Amino acid sequence: MRLFESKKEGTILIIGCGRLGNSLACAMSSKEWDVTVIDLDETALKRLPSSYSGSVLLGDGTDSDILEFAGIRKADALVAATDDDATNIMIAQIAGCHYPVKNILAYINDISKAISCSEMNITVLCPAALSVCEAQRVLLRDKEVKAL
């Protein structure tokens, strides 16, 4: 290990500090990632536990000035985890088109929007689709299950 090498595994921006954003921020910071959470709601940011070792930023994750201030040009990953599918898609598109972020993930609730996003090369996390796949796996007793 070099003398001045960072101990951090990577840098991640998480837009949205609801249940998913909060839990992911805590999990990634505990794995030695440099985490910044951005949210419009100060109350949501205050719900992060004292064990969270990352940064918080009050602001709009669709605003390129906010993303720049948060360090998007050096980010290894970005997760758009607001409670609005359209906002998450927009954030993923902004990050993918204008910044050198390697891994971009959008949290999408609507299965039809998730399918459209996959056609736009946006990696999605769709709870409904994941639940359907898991239910099929259980019901079909581990036979081959095709993702949506």
Side-chain angles (χ1 to χ4, degrees), residues 69-108:
F69 185 78
I72 193 168
R73 291 195 184 276
K74 294 180 180 178
D76 298 298
L78 178 141
V79 178
T82 74
D83 61 0
D84 183 74
D85 288 351
T87 300
N88 293 340
I89 293 167
M90 183 186 313
I91 291 167
Q93 288 177 320
I94 291 167
C97 292
H98 300 289
Y99 299 100
V101 182
K102 297 171 195 151
N103 294 308
I104 300 167
L105 181 64
Y107 183 75
I108 308 294

Side-chain angles (χ1 to χ4, degrees), residues 13-17 36-41 45 57-72 78-84 86-96 98-99 101 104-105:
L13 300 182
I14 300 172
I15 318 303
C17 195
T36 299
V37 179
I38 302 171
D39 201 295
L40 285 167
D41 182 3
L45 294 171
L57 181 60
L58 183 63
D60 183 348
T62 64
D63 184 332
S64 59
D65 290 336
I66 295 292
L67 293 172
E68 291 273 351
F69 185 78
I72 193 168
L78 178 141
V79 178
T82 74
D83 61 0
D84 183 74
T87 300
N88 293 340
I89 293 167
M90 183 186 313
I91 291 167
Q93 288 177 320
I94 291 167
H98 300 289
Y99 299 100
V101 182
I104 300 167
L105 181 64

Side-chain angles (χ1 to χ4, degrees), residues 76-140:
D76 298 298
L78 178 141
V79 178
T82 74
D83 61 0
D84 183 74
D85 288 351
T87 300
N88 293 340
I89 293 167
M90 183 186 313
I91 291 167
Q93 288 177 320
I94 291 167
C97 292
H98 300 289
Y99 299 100
V101 182
K102 297 171 195 151
N103 294 308
I104 300 167
L105 181 64
Y107 183 75
I108 308 294
N109 285 300
D110 184 322
I111 291 178
S112 63
K113 288 180 184 173
I115 292 168
S116 296
C117 286
S118 64
E119 293 168 359
M120 294 185 286
N121 291 324
I122 295 172
T123 303
V124 300
L125 175 61
C126 181
L130 292 171
S131 295
V132 168
C133 286
E134 182 62 10
Q136 286 179 335
R137 187 191 67 74
V138 169
L139 293 170
L140 298 173

